[in-house]
Amino acid sequence: MHWPDRILVREVGPRDGLQNEKKILPPEIKISMIRQLAAAGITAIEATSFVHPRAVPQLSDAEAVLEGIGGPGAGVSVSALVGNVRGVQRALAMLHTPLAEIVVVVSASEAHNRANVKRTVAESLAEVREICRLAAGQLKVRGAVATAFGCPYQGGIGAGEVARVVEGMLKEGIGEIVLADTAGMGNPRQVYDLLREIRERYPGVTWGLHLHDTRGRGLANAVAGLQAGVQVLESSVGGLGGCPFIPGAAGNIATGDLVSMLHDMGIETGIDLRRVLQCTQFMEETLGRRLPARVRL
Ligand code: ZN
């Protein structure tokens, strides 16, 4: 088996995690959370999202959060999810903040894409084209393929459905694509096979995995991804997260669990595990409940 020496862990808790919490947190708490994560050595943080406040009221304070995080430290890449053209316009008004990258999401599943954004996959890819055109030269754009490993409405997802979205994104010059197991339906063999196939088909792209632990397979899927040559793994502090459009979807894999496993495997992340666990505790105190993370202080 071949293992990488180092991997990039991207924190998505402030966005994917908090958008699924019933409790709406004030921007000060989010700013503190992001600062703690950056201080822990996490160099890629998805901080918020620019979507309609009625769709995701938890993140309606995107501007205040980005204004508030100040300089999170040299080498920290701050990103935000963008839902449509209006979202990229809001993001472009934030160029004086650390925001450097936006994320566009299109589902491999027609049914999930409709449920998520009320558009067909083709319509979403057309929107991606427009977003990339507006962001060009100002904000880096990363792509994410939702439900790449299974859809609760549609069932199995074929490599062709994933490739269709990947190709649409590559055509717009996107250089990093994250395959998301939005519903946590993937298994390690599937993750390995799809990633191997897609990496071979589209060389020169940076590939990431966004994993949910719905069926307890999150870390196993991460290991399968490492074997298939994934370069980026996304997780959320404490295992916050889920998907409001997918009934029963559990949180993301927990950042502390992932970092602890990677370090024990001799794979470097540059992250201070202890400080991630301190932030986990901070979020548990803030939300008033125990989070799913297994590795604790
Ligand atoms: Zn997610």
Side-chain angles (χ1 to χ4, degrees):
M1 288 208 185
H2 171 79
W3 304 106
D5 296 328
R6 195 180 176 90
I7 194 105
L8 177 71
V9 173
R10 179 179 295 116
E11 171 66 38
V12 297
R15 198 281 300 168
D16 204 9
L18 295 187
Q19 82 170 39
N20 294 291
E21 287 297 324
K22 282 191 180 68
K23 199 167 169 181
I24 299 184
L25 301 179
E28 296 72 40
I29 294 282
K30 299 171 183 173
I31 290 162
S32 170
M33 176 192 188
I34 292 165
R35 284 189 177 153
Q36 288 177 50
L37 294 165
I42 298 179
T43 56
I45 301 177
E46 196 170 307
T48 185
S49 91
F50 292 106
V51 294
H52 200 286
R54 256 203 318 271
V56 186
Q58 292 90 337
L59 303 180
S60 61
D61 58 358
E63 281 84 359
V65 170
L66 290 170
E67 300 269 7
I69 53 179
V76 179
S77 167
V78 174
S79 56
L81 189 148
V82 160
N84 51 27
V85 165
R86 173 77 192 113
V88 74
Q89 287 163 346
R90 286 174 64 195
L92 285 168
M94 290 287 112
L95 293 177
H96 59 288
T97 72
L99 181 71
E101 187 173 339
I102 54 172
V103 194
V104 290
V105 183
V106 179
S107 191
S109 149
E110 283 289 349
H112 179 262
N113 205 65
R114 267 179 214 278
N116 200 13
V117 293
K118 300 179 182 65
R119 283 194 201 100
T120 64
V121 169
E123 285 165 349
S124 281
L125 287 172
E127 190 92 13
V128 165
R129 182 176 319 132
E130 189 57 15
I131 290 169
C132 287
R133 196 185 63 77
L134 291 165
Q138 305 187 78
L139 289 164
K140 192 179 160 198
V141 184
R142 174 170 88 239
V145 185
T147 64
F149 301 99
C151 168
Y153 307 120
Q154 194 176 309
I157 294 290
E161 287 162 284
V162 175
R164 176 189 175 200
V165 177
V166 165
E167 279 174 19
M169 290 174 167
L170 294 179
K171 223 191 295 171
E172 304 313 322
I174 291 175
E176 178 181 342
I177 296 180
V178 176
L179 303 179
D181 190 13
T182 314
M185 292 168 74
N187 66 67
R189 184 173 184 169
Q190 181 190 12
V191 168
Y192 180 83
D193 288 347
L194 179 66
L195 203 61
R196 281 291 295 254
E197 185 182 333
I198 217 120
R199 275 192 68 210
E200 219 162 278
R201 228 158 121 175
Y202 310 102
V205 180
T206 299
W207 295 102
L209 278 174
H210 173 104
L211 301 167
H212 282 259
D213 205 27
T214 318
R215 296 181 181 175
R217 301 171 182 176
L219 288 183
N221 288 339
V223 170
L226 292 171
Q227 281 297 302
V230 77
Q231 291 137 291
V232 184
L233 290 169
E234 294 188 346
S235 61
S236 77
V237 64
L240 285 161
C243 178
F245 306 103
I246 293 191
N252 302 99
I253 52 172
T255 305
D257 295 357
L258 176 65
V259 167
S260 155
M261 180 185 80
L262 291 169
H263 289 180
D264 287 351
M265 291 169 78
I267 300 171
E268 193 41 62
T269 64
I271 296 170
D272 182 338
L273 176 61
R274 197 178 160 76
R275 295 184 85 159
V276 170
L277 301 181
Q278 284 166 347
C279 185
T280 303
Q281 206 169 59
F282 169 77
M283 291 315 294
E284 289 186 323
E285 283 160 13
T286 302
L287 294 165
R289 68 181 178 90
R290 189 182 162 94
L291 293 171
R294 273 79 152 204
V295 179
R296 328 194 129 252
L297 274 183

